[in-house]
Amino acid sequence: MKRVKKFKNVEELRKTIDEQEASRQQEKKRVIVVSSGTCGQARGSLKVIEALKKAIREEGLKDQVMIRVTGCHGFCEAEPNIIIYPDRIFYQKLTPPDVRTIVKETLVEGRVVEKFLHRDPLTKERAWYENEIPFYQKQKRIVLGDNVFVDPTSLMEYLSIGGFRPFLKALTRMKPGEIIDTVKQSGLRGRGGAGFPTGIKWEATHRAPGDIKYIICNGDEGDPGAYMDRSVLEGNPFRVIEGMMIGALAIGAREGYIYVRDEYPLAVRHVTLALEQLYKAGLLGEKILGTDFSFDLHITKGAGAFVCGEETALIASIEGRVGEPRQRPPFPAQKGLWKKPTCINNVETWANIPLIILNGADWFSSIGTSGSKGTKIFSLVGKINNTGLVEVPMGITLREIIYDIGGGIPEGKAFKAVQTGGPSGGCLPASMLDQIIDYESLTAAGSIMGSGGMIVMDEKTCMVDVAMYFLNFLRDESCGKCISCREGTQRMWEIVKDITEGKGQPGDLELLEELALATKEASMCGLGQTAANPVLSTLRYFRDEFEAHIYDKRCPAGVCKSLIRYAVIPEKCTGCEACKRACPTGAIQGTRKDVHLILYDKCIKCGACLEACRFEAIEAQREEAIAIVREVKP
Amino acid sequence: MITMKMNGVEVKAEEGWTILETAKFYGLEIPTLCHHEGLTPYGACRLCLVEIGEGPRAKLVSSCTYPAEEGLVVHTDTKRVVQARRMMIELMLSVAPYSKTIQDLASKFGVTRMRFKIRNEECILCGLCVRMCEEQMDGKAIGFQNRGYQRKISTPFDLRSEECRLCGGCIYICPACQLRCQGPQAESALCNACLTMDPTCLDYYDELQCWMYDAGRCGTCVREKK
């Protein structure tokens, strides 16, 4: 890490940025970029880095090659991956021994190692370079793109990509009103979920009476399967902080808080390191760069309550009270943290600000649809080939995200639904695949943009089970203040659980709808008001599945354990014993080359045998059907 | 003075009033449960819901916590409001079926069915006792624990609190655990006796003889029964 010196005035910082940028352009060394965010580390990127260092040392390439450890690049499926600059050769899914081969072949002898290249799941073609990979081609990575170029723990690296130029521009050449106008004209809307225009929020906080104002960065990302904010904070914390500093200039705040959940240790570490360096560099604290602008930034760790992502609950949590939402108005812009005007924005929103200030409002508003501007990061997870973070312009269709970027559904299965917006969002069926993505059209379709979770489901997913999963999450994560939300989610969960267990009754769906509507209408905060969405959207698009569970006692996808029973089809079974080895309870009997048998009293219906069988000889049958057959022929 | 429209009538509210306070001042009845004049508004029971705004942007808010705003359009008893209220009562009833206060509310709003499994917890977590203890008794002996469906009211670590002076304020204010419904079918949860009573009591009994021993305060006897 390059040492940080204290910048005394604006000129000094400008000079350093120029120098750093120039030195990056003149860099003669080859650079190996290793993606090492939380996802990379989970898949062993730290060991890859060790092996890489060792191999380079042994080959004597230390002076010609530089290793840059960065945050997540978004392509989680391919972790741990490396990109070799300047050619941008992309190697994926590496293990420490692979690294030796790459160093020898590519760095020493200048050959590309085919087997580590990315292979498209649909066309089966190998892509040599990073920009040839379909996953990256359709994206517009204005926020995430820089993750590749910076070591998130080094301020100097951030300066070398032109970091803090937007801040300098805002500090020296713009009045608060101009900054707010630029943000307003850009059409940026809150990326946390509700999509409130950021400029209007800033203006309200700016205009609110009072000397002391606060700004907050909301990094309490709690949706299952979503990790956009984590990757931005891990991969480029300086960008977020710079956005907040510009916000502080515009709003007139002297103090700010970054609220990150403690479950994101790497994000917490990178933000803490960034803050330390910025204080050392004199970019935070009293009289920044010799001007009248003073700004203090603190990090607050959340204890992992989903509801603390709601702004009033988050403020309560920073103040040290129980994370419970309160009635708005008064809005945080009028009375927020410690009852002072407070502007609270999502991580991604803050990260967009420096780009808007640098490139202008027109550049930003040229991307996207009429009502929703810019790009949005989605975490594309579930039954999808290219799992990862995708940053796409607003107005792209679901089909483009799932098939062109995501590479379709694994194992040739059919697409069934995509769940957007986390637990507060909804499930959209295949008929909605050509739906464009922006705030309004997703809401009209019965889902929400949310913070950007996107869970893809294939034909083997039971939608009743999905609704139950999200309701279970919500009944646990509701703060419990409003009876509508606390009891509403609990009762909805009970009803849906009964349905999955085959105890559903006629009238359940009507009651479920009535209750869902009441929960939506009567709750105080966003959590309760959207808690019914998983139920309402699955009922809207997959009502037949609910009805099959209730009236036929049948789970069409073969998921709900109480309604299915695994059985061996004798004609197809080859007696390979694969299922027997996979069974955790020893419920499968049979010798080699003999048709196997599942002992029902031992079977826990985990489905491991179904996964293990290569001959489709195991089938999820209707529990009741078997019972009836048994009765007929005793 | 703040001017707003309530059920079509122009009303004036003092600065700092809530919608509920304004409605009370003008004699409009809004049912409440977790609200008490001596305590800070909390907004947990969602009974005092009113509809604000017009057209597609109209929404339901709890009137006890929503401040009176200039030009606000409020409707206290639309179909939307009553439907939501009835569901709230049904939900409360299913956790505290023996509470007379809630049974009376059920009768008053015509909640005749209880479609959820009874979970006899008695507490509806309205938070009156917590606020009573903290704000009026200066005790802070009890508080909420956990969140979501596991939420409950207890002393810290479920131990006998040294802060508690056994003043009984929490029991005094509780709408659920103290007054038991004495109606003919209380045991079978939803009795609705007050609803189905024929003839209505005030015609036949004087205050002392109200068979609910409630002096007609349940309000159901003034209901027209034909």
Side-chain angles (χ1 to χ4, degrees), chain A residues 355-377:
Chain A
L355 298 165
I356 293 171
I357 296 299
L358 188 70
N359 301 317
D362 294 339
W363 165 80
F364 191 81
S365 59
S366 68
I367 312 167
T369 62
S370 60
S372 311
K373 304 292 183 196
T375 61
K376 176 80 192 85
I377 309 176

Side-chain angles (χ1 to χ4, degrees), chain A residues 354 498 538 623:
Chain A
D498 275 356
T538 44
E623 169 86 50

Side-chain angles (χ1 to χ4, degrees), chain A residues 8-10 167 171-172 286-294:
Chain A
K8 289 199 190 66
N9 53 44
V10 174
F167 171 68
L171 184 68
T172 54
E286 290 291 312
K287 304 230 176 270
I288 293 168
L289 298 175
T291 61
D292 287 338
F293 175 58
S294 304

Side-chain angles (χ1 to χ4, degrees), chain A residues 303-307 322 324 327-331 472 474-484 486-488 490-491 494-495 498 511 514-515 517-519 521-524 529, chain B residues 42-46 49 58-62 65-67 69 80 83-84 87-88 90-92 94-95 113 115-119 121 123-126 144 146-151:
Chain A
F306 179 65
V307 72
V322 179
E324 245 172 42
Q327 178 76 50
R328 297 174 306 173
F331 287 94
N472 191 24
L474 286 164
R475 79 182 178 121
D476 202 30
E477 292 296 341
S478 156
C479 79
K481 182 178 186 173
C482 302
I483 183 141
S484 50
R486 183 185 70 241
E487 280 303 318
Q490 166 72 14
R491 295 305 190 180
E494 280 172 16
I495 295 169
D498 275 356
L511 176 60
E514 202 185 322
L515 183 56
L517 203 68
T519 306
E521 298 250 272
S523 299
M524 184 185 276
Q529 284 161 6
Chain B
Y42 190 58
C45 72
R46 315 310 287 172
L49 290 172
K59 60 176 180 177
L60 303 188
V61 296
S62 52
T65 54
Y66 205 94
E69 283 176 333
R80 204 172 155 190
Q83 270 175 353
M87 185 52 91
M88 295 308 116
E90 202 176 330
L91 285 171
M92 279 185 237
S94 68
V95 277
R113 296 183 288 177
R115 292 164 289 180
F116 308 109
K117 279 174 216 151
I118 294 171
R119 216 175 61 230
E121 285 170 358
C123 179
I124 51 164
L125 299 165
C126 65
F144 288 108
N146 296 332
R147 61 168 183 250
Y149 71 101
Q150 289 168 324
R151 187 170 162 109

